[in-house]
Amino acid sequence: NAGVMQNPRHLVRRRGQEARLRCSPMKGHSHVYWYRQLPEEGLKFMVYLQKENIIDESGMPKERFSAEFPKEGPSILRIQQVVRGDSAAYFCASSPTLQSSYNEQFFGPGTRLTVL
Amino acid sequence: GDSVTQMEGPVTLSEEAFLTINCTYTATGYPSLFWYVQYPGEGLQLLLKATKADDKGSNKGFEATYRKETTSFHLEKGSVQVSDSAVYFCALSGPDDYKLSFGAGTTVTVRA
């Protein structure tokens, strides 16, 4: 059983370029979550998606960031016109169903974005 | 808002030593508490959890007790192995909430 897959594992971009991060959830999982870990900080929630729907994007920066989870294919986190402050580790997680009080999310290995 | 504070690392231990990683939290209501572990090159894995006060979560020799009076969820293991070398994250989620709030992580290295 393959776990949550993320690619690329490492991504280097220059300021102003676009970054696309991909996440394939575990088989049978229809819920995807993105988290960001800035240096020396804990993971912070960004967005929660189900197939073709954004459920909660309260943790996403208002500009330059977008996320999608199409009917077919992986979830994509897209960062336009990257700046140095976007350098971080981006983690994706998936779950089979929304559970209250106990929320086991299965995490991928993360994508480490470096903006030069 | 909800937050988690955990012991800063890195922590270096010898095999068979006792490990404690402190974790305290701030939250409204009664959150669920978790410890996640990240081994080198892998994603975060759920290590153990507790969903109400005085619950004790345990797995792979690790334990943590949900202490509401001290708002703590400290992780302990009596005798660590080299294979326990990893980054450990304390986390919480509010009641009926899917968002996890994480601490900054503690890197643990166990030497043979």
Side-chain angles (χ1 to χ4, degrees):
Chain A
N1 237 353
V4 178
M5 311 283 285
Q6 289 189 250
N7 67 82
R9 296 290 302 277
H10 300 274
L11 182 62
V12 179
R13 286 288 178 265
R14 298 190 180 280
R15 280 178 297 171
Q17 291 184 318
E18 179 180 286
R20 280 181 181 247
L21 288 62
R22 294 175 187 76
C23 169
S24 297
M26 287 181 69
K27 187 175 181 181
H29 287 193
S30 57
H31 300 254
V32 166
Y33 316 80
W34 285 93
Y35 292 82
R36 176 168 67 172
Q37 185 181 26
L38 295 170
E40 309 302 320
E41 295 185 15
L43 283 74
K44 297 285 196 300
F45 169 82
M46 298 181 74
V47 62
Y48 160 44
L49 309 105
Q50 296 179 23
K51 287 282 188 183
E52 301 184 279
N53 285 302
I54 297 174
I55 307 302
D56 181 350
E57 56 182 348
S58 59
M60 288 270 275
K62 296 289 182 245
E63 297 178 352
R64 301 187 298 108
F65 284 71
S66 62
E68 63 177 9
F69 188 17
K71 187 177 180 181
E72 302 290 338
S75 175
I76 306 287
L77 180 67
R78 181 183 180 203
I79 311 172
Q80 296 178 286
Q81 298 176 319
V82 295
V83 301
R84 288 210 173 117
D86 297 332
S87 295
Y90 292 83
F91 291 91
C92 168
S94 70
S95 69
T97 186
L98 185 63
Q99 302 174 57
S100 61
S101 80
Y102 164 38
N103 186 10
E104 181 162 4
Q105 297 176 13
F106 296 81
F107 282 79
T111 294
R112 300 197 181 278
L113 172 66
T114 301
V115 179
L116 301 178
Chain B
D2 296 348
S3 67
V4 175
T5 302
Q6 67 180 97
M7 188 173 89
E8 290 186 17
V11 174
T12 303
L13 302 164
S14 298
E15 250 186 334
E16 300 183 6
F18 184 86
L19 171 67
T20 299
I21 304 176
N22 289 341
C23 172
T24 57
Y25 67 89
T26 302
T28 53
Y30 299 90
S32 296
L33 301 174
F34 309 86
W35 277 99
Y36 279 83
V37 59
Q38 185 180 29
Y39 299 106
E42 299 182 13
L44 281 73
Q45 303 173 22
L46 180 64
L47 180 60
L48 53 84
K49 70 183 190 297
T51 57
K52 60 182 187 294
D54 300 323
D55 266 2
K56 177 185 284 188
S58 61
N59 186 24
K60 300 182 180 179
F62 289 90
E63 292 184 341
T65 301
Y66 188 143
R67 301 281 188 205
K68 185 158 179 64
E69 64 274 16
T70 55
T71 61
S72 65
F73 193 54
H74 305 320
L75 182 69
E76 297 181 337
K77 185 172 184 179
S79 177
V80 293
Q81 305 299 314
V82 172
S83 57
D84 293 324
S85 298
V87 182
Y88 293 82
F89 294 90
C90 186
L92 69 80
S93 68
D96 302 319
D97 192 359
Y98 43 79
K99 299 176 194 173
L100 290 167
S101 297
F102 285 86
T106 301
T107 300
V108 173
T109 302
V110 180
R111 299 194 187 280

